Each structure stands twice: as structure tokens, then as C-alpha cells.
């Protein structure tokens, strides 16, 4: 446990010292192949230059309650970035930020997000809040009212990792979300006919309920083609691009 405490201390210190970076992964329209947005993913840059992925720091930060600080930091960093892109004349695309389920309990969350968005003058319609499906096990009603408040302010909302948790299909149809992100698990068995059938039906159900659907973890051309045919709106995955630094993202999507 001594070691856990030390690791947590190091992570929290890194957070205070702003040693976290935003990586971006593009979201692609399956119909046109165009980049229609991106997801902001946290990376920790160690002293020695090593880039650490979230599986080493999200859980400890969730356990200590400090995850909300990381999320706000990511959100503000994205706003700074978008403001800079605007000044440089780059076209703005919607960016999503992951928000831990712990924010359900964060007092004044929506007000704070609106304050920041106004400070940087970035339209709320360009900002998307990702809430993981597993958050719905806890206080469903509180979460739904939070989503409604966010929506009233014009933010987009997506349900992340759909299909892994306990969100029932009937619940799905009642959520005030704009986008449902199908978990990459769905693609693990995507060659089987029963999985294909299920994917098609889930995509239909989501679209019937006036939400957009994005599939995560697309690694192969065949997966992309199947999803496109099944009517999936957007895709994200290594087939298109891994999450990359802001600099690489700019070079790839704004300067080429
Ligand atoms: P997520 O939000 O579901 O993000 C998608 C994850 O899938 C990312 O992992 C991404 O790198 C990975 N991925 C994308 N395409 C592929 C693919 O084709 N194949 C495979 N195998 N993986 C792919 P990453 O960056 O390691 O992030 C892991 C999780 O950590 C995220 O899952 C999210 O839940 C959490 N996370 C990341 N940044 C933040 C943050 O700022 N705040 C909070 N609360 N959570 C974060
Ligand atoms: Mg996400
Ligand atoms: Mg996900």
C-alpha cells in the first residue's frame, strides 16, 4: 500500500504541475470519410519524456477523488487550444472530453463549464461531454438531470463505452444524449453473423431515437465497411488514426 500511496502522490503532483497532455483522436464520418470531430484523451508526460496512458492513472485518481481536477484541466486545455485554432484561422471541429461519473456529485458543474466556455468564447455546440455508460448504475436520476442541464446550455453529450455496462435498451431510448459510442468490445466478434445482426439492430435503435452512433476501436477496413453499410454515422479507431499529440493532429488535419 506504501507503493500505491507513492504512485498516487506522484500522479497528483504531476496534475498540479500540469504535466498532463491532451492527445487527440479523430472521429470520422463513415459516409464521407471526413474528420468530423475529435476526442481529447489524457496522457501523462514523465520527467524522462515517457508518455503514460490512462490505464496507469485514471483508477488511482478516481479512487482519490482527484479525477475531477484532471477532467477540468483537460476541458480548459481544450478550450485554450480551440481559441488558438480560431485565431490561426483553422476550421473548428467539435471536441469531446471525458467526464468521470464522479462529476454527478460535483456542485455547480454546469455553471463552471459555462463560465469557462464563455471565457474562451467557444460555442457550446463545439464541445461534447462524454459520460461512460457504467455511470448509470449509480444515481440514474441525478445523471439524467445533469445531462438535461448540459443540453440546455447547448453542450453535446455522448454515452461512452455503450454495451459494456448495465444500461438497458429501454433506458437508452430515454437518455437526453446526442451520440452513443459503441464500445470496441462489439468489434471483437464482428465476423460472426449473430454479432453483425445485433450491431445492425443496435445502430437502428439508436438512430430511431434521434441520436447519432459512433463505433470505437475500428482497426480493420472490413469493420469500417460493415459499419458503414449498417448505417453507423461515425467511427474512431487505429484504422483511421491512433490518438496523437496536438502538433501531429494539426499537421495531419489542418496543414495538409
Ligand atoms: P475511452 O474514452 O473509451 O477512449 C477510447 C480508448 O480507446 C482510448 O484509450 C483510445 O486510445 C483507445 N482506442 C482508440 N482506437 C482504438 C483501436 O482501434 N483499438 C484499440 N484497442 N484501442 C483504441 P486511452 O487513451 O488509453 O484511454 C482509456 C480510457 O481512459 C478512456 O476510454 C477514458 O475512459 C479514460 N480517459 C482518458 N482520458 C480521460 C480524461 O481526461 N478524463 C477521464 N475521466 N477519463 C479519461
Ligand atoms: Mg471517451
Ligand atoms: Mg469509450
Amino acid at each position: 500500500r506504501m507503493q500505491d500511496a507513492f504512485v498516487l502522490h506522484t500522479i497528483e503532483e504531476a496534475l498540479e504541475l500540469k504535466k498532463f497532455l491532451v492527445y487527440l483522436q479523430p472521429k470520422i464520418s463513415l459516409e464521407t470519410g471526413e474528420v468530423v470531430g475529435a476526442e481529447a484523451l489524457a496522457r501523462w508526460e514523465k520527467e524522462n519524456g515517457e508518455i503514460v496512458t490512462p490505464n496507469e492513472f485514471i483508477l488511482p485518481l478516481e479512487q482519490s477523488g482527484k479525477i475531477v481536477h484532471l477532467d477540468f484541466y483537460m476541458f480548459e486545455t481544450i478550450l485554450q487550444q480551440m481559441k488558438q485554432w480560431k485565431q490561426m484561422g483553422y476550421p473548428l471541429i467539435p471536441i469531446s472530453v471525458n467526464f468521470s461519473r464522479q462529476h454527478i456529485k460535483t456542485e455547480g458543474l454546469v455553471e463552471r463549464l459555462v463560465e469557462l466556455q464563455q471565457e474562451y468564447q467557444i460555442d457550446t455546440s463545439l464541445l461534447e461531454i462524454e459520460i461512460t455508460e457504467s455511470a448509470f448504475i449509480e444515481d440514474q436520476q441525478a445523471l439524467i438531470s445533469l445531462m438535461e442541464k448540459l443540453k440546455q446550455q447547448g453542450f453535446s453529450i455522448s454515452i461512452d463505452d455503450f454495451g459494456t455496462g448495465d444500461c438497458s435498451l429501454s433506458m437508452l431510448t430515454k437518455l437526453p444524449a446526442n451520440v452513443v459510442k459503441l464500445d470496441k468490445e462489439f468489434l471483437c466478434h464482428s465476423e460472426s453473423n449473430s454479432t453483425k445482426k445485433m450491431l445492425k439492430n443496435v445502430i437502428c435503435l439508436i438512430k430511431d431515437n434521434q441520436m447519432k452512433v459512433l463505433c470505437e476501436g475500428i482497426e480493420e477496413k472490413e469493420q469500417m465497411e460493415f459499419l458503414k453499410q449498417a448505417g453507423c454515422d461515425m467511427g474512431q479507431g487505429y484504422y483511421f488514426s491512433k490518438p496523437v499529440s496536438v502538433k501531429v493532429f494539426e499537421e495531419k488535419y489542418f496543414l495538409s
Side-chain angles (χ1 to χ4, degrees):
R1 302 306 76 163
M2 268 291 281
Q3 204 199 342
D4 285 359
F6 178 72
V7 169
L8 181 60
H9 173 76
T10 320
I11 296 169
E12 288 181 350
E13 192 178 65
L15 191 53
E16 274 163 34
L17 297 173
K18 305 191 191 316
K19 292 290 166 65
F20 281 86
L21 303 172
V22 169
Y23 266 44
L24 292 168
Q25 187 177 37
K27 298 176 185 172
I28 311 291
S29 155
L30 295 185
E31 203 189 309
T32 67
E34 278 172 88
V35 177
V36 290
E39 176 174 9
L41 294 156
R43 296 291 183 267
W44 169 19
E45 190 180 27
K46 283 196 169 164
E47 297 301 329
N48 61 6
E50 188 196 339
I51 303 288
V52 182
T53 55
N55 56 358
E56 283 188 42
F57 55 81
I58 295 292
L59 193 62
L61 284 175
E62 274 180 342
Q63 284 166 347
S64 77
K66 289 276 163 64
I67 187 77
V68 295
H69 298 291
L70 175 68
D71 295 347
F72 279 123
Y73 174 77
M74 294 289 289
F75 186 77
E76 186 162 4
T77 306
I78 275 303
L79 285 169
Q80 277 165 358
Q81 192 56 63
M82 289 172 96
K83 187 180 173 185
Q84 199 191 329
W85 285 339
K86 209 165 135 184
Q87 286 164 345
M88 299 181 71
Y90 295 155
L92 289 188
I93 52 169
I95 309 277
S96 61
V97 180
N98 292 283
F99 271 72
S100 161
R101 73 184 76 173
Q102 288 186 13
H103 287 283
I104 308 166
K105 298 171 236 142
T106 305
E107 198 78 44
L109 169 71
V110 180
E111 292 74 10
R112 198 155 155 204
L113 298 185
V114 168
E115 228 170 76
L116 284 168
Q117 160 268 326
Q118 284 174 346
E119 184 185 333
Y120 289 93
Q121 308 243 304
I122 301 297
D123 209 85
T124 48
S125 63
L126 290 168
L127 299 165
E128 189 169 310
I129 310 295
E130 296 199 7
I131 301 171
T132 167
E133 191 216 56
S134 62
F136 290 89
I137 329 164
E138 279 162 49
D139 194 343
Q140 251 174 47
Q141 212 36 61
L143 191 51
I144 289 178
S145 62
L146 171 64
M147 290 169 76
E148 262 151 11
K149 266 176 90 181
L150 285 167
K151 214 170 181 184
Q152 267 167 22
Q153 295 293 341
F155 291 105
S156 266
I157 301 160
S158 50
I159 307 297
D160 204 357
D161 305 331
F162 182 77
T164 53
D166 292 275
C167 185
S168 69
L169 289 181
S170 72
M171 163 117 206
L172 176 68
T173 63
K174 294 188 200 92
L175 293 177
N178 304 81
V179 181
V180 177
K181 301 186 79 178
L182 303 179
D183 193 78
K184 50 182 170 287
E185 279 291 304
F186 272 112
L187 294 182
C188 290
H189 313 282
S190 61
E191 329 75 49
S192 95
N193 281 331
S194 59
T195 305
K196 279 188 173 147
K197 213 163 160 182
M198 180 189 52
L199 264 169
K200 269 190 188 155
N201 283 312
V202 170
I203 291 167
C204 261
L205 179 76
I206 294 166
K207 294 179 68 166
D208 267 354
N209 282 279
Q210 278 72 51
M211 294 181 281
K212 294 225 181 265
V213 54
L214 177 151
C215 192
E216 300 186 287
I218 300 178
E219 294 184 359
E220 289 153 22
K221 188 160 191 259
E222 295 70 46
Q223 295 171 335
M224 187 274 289
E225 267 160 4
F226 164 74
L227 288 161
K228 181 178 172 179
Q229 237 189 23
C232 184
D233 301 294
M234 291 168 278
Q236 214 180 315
Y238 299 164
Y239 172 70
F240 306 107
S241 167
K242 289 197 168 183
V244 294
S245 68
V246 169
K247 187 167 171 278
V248 172
F249 191 87
E250 288 173 342
E251 281 162 4
K252 249 172 124 169
Y253 302 106
F254 297 147
L255 300 171
S256 61

